[in-house]
Amino acid sequence: MVFQTEQESYDVYSLNELIPMAESGDLEAQFTLAEKYAANEEYKLAFAWYSTAAEHDMAVAQCNLGNLYRDGLGIPQDYKCAFAWFSKAAEQGVVAAQYNIGLMYDFGEGMPEDERAAFAWYLKAAEQGVAEAELSVGHAYFEGRGVPQNDMQAIAWYRKAALQGDAEAQRMIGKAHFEGQCVPQSYEEAIGWYLMAIEQGDAASHYNLALMYANGEGLPQDYQQSFDLFKKAADQGFAEAEWQLGNLYESGYGVAQDYEAARVCYIKAAEQGLAKALGSLASLYEDGLGVSCNLVISYMLFSLAEDKNDPDSTDDRARVASLLSRKKVEEGDALASQWKPGMPLPC
């Protein structure tokens, strides 16, 4: 969701100075007061002043009022009201409101999902230079959502957003160069774009560069660098990176071998629903590495991984089941049926 900003001239005033100005009907003061309350997360007061300015047809206030309705900040969430206020602002040319309408169509918020309508609104905002909209247009072309799939157009729009500093777009351009997709294959270019995104803390770019170090692609193979980058991504909750950390701990690449540390990493990734991590954790329990051997837990974990279409887990599950009594298999099945991603694993 994108908020629209207004002129900064009123930012020099304190709250105590702005309140009487706003109460006297000064629209700029009303809007600035709302902005200050929103920045302090005093959303009820922000809502009151955005409403006052919006009802006097101030377009940027209408856009930001729509955001509060959409996110349920200071007011119960109401997608219909959000859409109505975004529409008023969009009619007056507020590009943030145009982009936000695209988001609502894209995610079906208060209406059926409509990829074509989402694309049309994204494009309208993108053509006016909104980086988030440029990224969304790139995704639409890349995935063929609301528009025929077109890699060349996707890369072109990603580049526009990347040049404005959008980290995700920078990562997508890096990935395109890594794979040679519609651009010359170049590890050097890929690394450059990943590093730009990493400067903004992009977890997936940390992960992608870590893989390049691990595989020696465009860089000398360096498991220590790989470990450090995986950890930075994992610290942001990136499940694949957490799983890769577990692999490095288990194998002893880039770090001292530590099965218990591997188990902890696998659990963190598995609890996010990552099938590979469930399978890796199951293997530790089967072999008693870093933990006491527990075939019931191993069977349960392989079952969960199989349910998530992990290609190796079907045979693994059958192998462990063959070592268990029927009662123990039923115990494992019961444990598996009770677990959902986001819940702590019973191990």
Side-chain angles (χ1 to χ4, degrees):
M1 186 63 62
V2 174
F3 280 77
Q4 184 73 30
T5 58
E6 187 59 24
Q7 295 179 4
E8 298 178 359
S9 58
Y10 276 54
D11 286 346
V12 298
Y13 295 111
S14 68
L15 285 174
N16 289 336
E17 291 172 318
L18 284 167
I19 289 171
M21 296 166 66
E23 289 175 342
S24 70
D26 187 323
L27 283 179
E28 292 288 348
Q30 292 168 357
F31 179 81
T32 305
L33 192 58
E35 291 279 270
K36 288 181 179 289
Y37 281 129
N40 292 332
E41 298 185 0
E42 297 179 74
Y43 293 116
K44 287 186 178 180
L45 290 169
F47 173 82
W49 286 108
Y50 279 141
S51 296
T52 301
E55 287 165 0
H56 286 87
D57 214 30
M58 188 179 194
V60 290
Q62 293 169 343
C63 176
N64 292 0
L65 183 60
N67 283 324
L68 297 187
Y69 272 114
R70 179 181 183 267
D71 296 333
L73 299 173
I75 193 74
Q77 188 177 61
D78 189 327
Y79 288 135
K80 288 185 178 179
C81 283
F83 186 84
W85 283 111
F86 287 148
S87 297
K88 288 178 182 291
E91 287 172 3
Q92 296 193 64
V94 178
V95 292
Q98 294 166 358
Y99 173 69
N100 292 342
I101 290 172
L103 286 175
M104 295 192 75
Y105 276 117
D106 205 357
F107 294 100
E109 295 173 340
M111 64 191 76
E113 289 183 15
D114 189 332
E115 293 177 350
R116 290 186 177 183
F119 177 80
W121 282 102
Y122 286 151
L123 185 61
K124 184 172 291 194
E127 288 174 340
Q128 297 173 75
V130 176
E132 295 91 341
E134 292 168 346
L135 175 69
S136 296
V137 170
H139 285 330
Y141 274 117
F142 186 74
E143 299 165 13
R145 291 188 296 106
V147 67
Q149 200 279 336
N150 188 316
D151 287 340
M152 290 291 290
Q153 284 285 352
I155 297 300
W157 283 103
Y158 285 147
R159 188 174 296 278
K160 288 176 184 287
L163 291 173
Q164 290 202 66
D166 187 279
E168 186 177 353
Q170 290 167 346
R171 175 180 9 107
M172 296 302 291
I173 294 294
K175 186 171 182 287
H177 279 290
F178 179 86
E179 297 175 349
Q181 183 181 28
C182 298
V183 293
Q185 197 285 330
S186 170
Y187 289 141
E188 183 178 356
E189 283 285 332
I191 292 165
W193 286 104
Y194 287 153
L195 286 172
M196 281 191 271
I198 283 170
E199 287 177 3
Q200 300 183 69
D202 185 61
S205 292
H206 281 95
Y207 178 82
N208 291 348
L209 190 58
L211 286 177
M212 294 183 74
Y213 272 114
N215 297 324
E217 295 169 316
L219 293 160
Q221 190 173 55
D222 188 331
Y223 289 114
Q224 180 62 61
Q225 285 278 11
S226 181
F227 179 88
D228 292 343
L229 287 162
F230 280 139
K231 189 172 189 312
K232 287 178 180 177
D235 287 346
Q236 296 184 60
F238 199 83
E240 288 269 358
E242 198 75 66
W243 175 69
Q244 292 283 9
L245 279 181
N247 288 334
L248 294 178
Y249 275 121
E250 186 175 357
S251 64
Y253 289 155
V255 67
Q257 189 175 54
D258 187 334
Y259 291 121
E260 171 57 22
R263 187 180 76 91
V264 170
C265 290
Y266 290 151
I267 288 174
K268 289 180 181 178
E271 287 180 346
Q272 295 182 60
L274 187 66
K276 294 180 289 189
L278 288 161
S280 297
L281 186 59
S283 294
L284 293 185
Y285 276 94
E286 180 184 5
D287 297 331
L289 298 174
V291 68
S292 299
C293 176
N294 189 323
L295 294 181
V296 172
I297 294 296
S298 178
Y299 171 80
M300 174 203 72
L301 293 166
F302 278 134
S303 296
L304 291 170
E306 181 186 18
D307 289 344
K308 293 186 171 299
N309 302 314
D310 181 56
D312 299 322
S313 292
T314 299
D315 291 342
D316 292 332
R317 174 181 176 274
R319 182 186 64 254
V320 174
S322 71
L323 303 173
L324 295 171
S325 67
R326 181 171 181 177
K327 182 178 179 180
K328 291 295 185 182
V329 168
E330 290 173 352
E331 182 183 340
D333 286 334
L335 288 171
S337 68
Q338 294 164 13
W339 186 80
K340 296 289 186 295
M343 295 173 58
L345 283 162
C347 59

